[in-house]
Amino acid sequence: MKLKKNPRANVGRNSSLYFAVGLNVMLLLTYLGLEHKTYETPTTKVDILMLTEQLEEDIPITTINVPPPPPPPKTVVSEAITVVEDVAEVEETFVESSEIGQDDIIEERVASVDDVEVEEVEEYIEVPFAVIEKVPQFPGCEGSNVELKACFQQKMQEHLQKHFRYPDAAAELNIQGRVFVYFLIDKYGNVSKIQTRGPNKLLETEAERIIGLLPKMEPGKQRNKPVGVPYSIPINFKLHQQ
C-alpha cells in the first residue's frame, strides 16, 4: 500500500510568502533604526549638603584701652576797665513821625487846566491799495484815481524790467520760482517793511533788492489825509533754456 502525502502537511508550499513578509519586516525595522533621532540631554549633578553639626566659634571679646582726652586749657580772662573822659558832645537827632494825626491840617489842592499836559498821539492808518480814495502817485503819473492806479502798475512793471537781474548762484543751481513781495508805502511816500516769500533765499534777496530801489512817491490819501498803503506784487524768476 502506497502512502499519499497530505497537501496541508507540506511545509515549503508558502515559503516564498513567508520570505517576502520577513524581508519587509526587516526592511521596516532597519528604516526605523536609521531614522530614529536621539537628543543629547545635559546632565546635571545635584548634591545635597547635610549639616549634622553646627559649628559655633567663640569670638573673644577684646577691650581697647583708649586714653581719656586731655583737659581743655584754662584761660584767664582779665577785664581791663578804662575810663574815657567826655570831651566831645554828641548831638542827638530827633526823628519826626510821618504819620498824620487829628491835629494836622491837610492842604487841599485844586488842579487847574494849566497843570494838565495833553500830548497828541499820532494815529497811523493803513488802507489797502484797492479801496483807497487816492492811490500813491508814482513819479510821472497824473490824472484821476483810476488813471493813477493804471499808471502805478505800469511804472512798477517798467521798474522790475529795468532793475531785474537773475542771481548767478541761482542760475548755476537752476533755481527757479515765483517770489511774492509785500511792502508798504508809508504816509511820507517811502517804501518800507519789505517782506518776501519764495522758493529760495537767493531769489528772495534779489526781489527785496529790486523793491528797495523804488523811488519816493507821493503818499496815498484817505479823506485828504496821507496814510500808509500796503502793496504786494509777484516776481517770476524763470531760466530760458537754450
Side-chain angles (χ1 to χ4, degrees):
M1 181 177 178
K2 187 178 179 180
L3 295 177
K4 294 183 179 180
K5 185 182 288 187
N6 190 1
R8 293 183 179 181
N10 189 6
V11 181
R13 65 189 181 93
N14 294 327
S15 61
S16 60
L17 177 63
Y18 296 151
F19 177 76
V21 172
L23 182 61
N24 291 332
V25 172
M26 292 302 295
L27 290 175
L28 178 62
L29 293 177
T30 305
Y31 175 77
L32 293 177
L34 293 175
E35 293 295 328
H36 181 68
K37 296 181 180 181
T38 58
Y39 301 94
E40 295 182 359
T41 56
T43 57
T44 57
K45 185 177 181 181
V46 179
D47 294 335
I48 301 176
L49 180 63
M50 300 295 293
L51 295 178
T52 57
E53 295 181 0
Q54 185 176 1
L55 300 177
E56 295 182 359
E57 183 178 358
D58 294 335
I59 301 174
I61 300 173
T62 58
T63 57
I64 301 174
N65 297 325
V66 179
K74 296 181 180 180
T75 57
V76 179
V77 179
S78 61
E79 296 182 357
I81 301 173
T82 58
V83 179
V84 180
E85 297 181 358
D86 295 335
V87 177
E89 295 181 358
V90 180
E91 296 182 359
E92 296 182 358
T93 57
F94 180 74
V95 180
E96 297 182 357
S97 176
S98 60
E99 297 181 357
I100 299 175
Q102 296 180 355
D103 299 334
D104 297 333
I105 299 174
I106 301 174
E107 181 182 358
E108 296 181 359
R109 183 181 178 185
V110 179
S112 60
V113 181
D114 298 336
D115 297 338
V116 180
E117 296 182 359
V118 180
E119 294 182 359
E120 294 183 359
V121 179
E122 186 177 1
E123 187 177 3
Y124 191 81
I125 302 174
E126 293 183 5
V127 181
F129 185 86
V131 298
I132 192 170
E133 294 178 356
K134 185 178 180 182
V135 299
Q137 188 172 349
F138 211 98
C141 294
E142 295 179 356
S144 62
N145 193 46
V146 177
E147 294 174 349
L148 289 176
K149 281 186 179 181
C151 183
F152 182 90
Q153 294 175 356
Q154 182 181 356
K155 291 289 186 181
M156 283 294 300
Q157 294 296 330
E158 293 177 358
H159 177 81
L160 294 178
Q161 294 176 3
K162 179 181 178 181
H163 298 280
F164 182 83
R165 186 182 62 192
Y166 211 102
D168 296 336
E172 293 177 0
L173 298 174
N174 196 20
I175 298 174
Q176 306 181 65
R178 178 174 295 180
V179 179
F180 294 91
V181 186
Y182 168 88
F183 60 94
L184 177 71
I185 304 172
D186 59 15
K187 66 178 183 178
Y188 302 107
N190 299 319
V191 177
S192 60
K193 296 182 180 180
I194 303 175
Q195 299 178 4
T196 57
R197 181 170 58 88
N200 189 270
K201 187 65 176 177
L202 295 173
L203 304 183
E204 292 179 356
T205 304
E206 177 61 20
E208 184 176 354
R209 184 192 68 84
I210 296 172
I211 299 302
L213 296 176
L214 285 172
K216 186 176 181 180
M217 311 176 194
E218 186 176 343
K221 292 183 180 180
Q222 186 76 9
R223 297 180 183 178
N224 294 327
K225 289 184 179 181
V227 294
V229 179
Y231 190 82
S232 61
I233 184 173
I235 301 178
N236 192 17
F237 290 85
K238 186 175 181 181
L239 292 172
H240 296 283
Q241 301 292 338
Q242 295 181 356

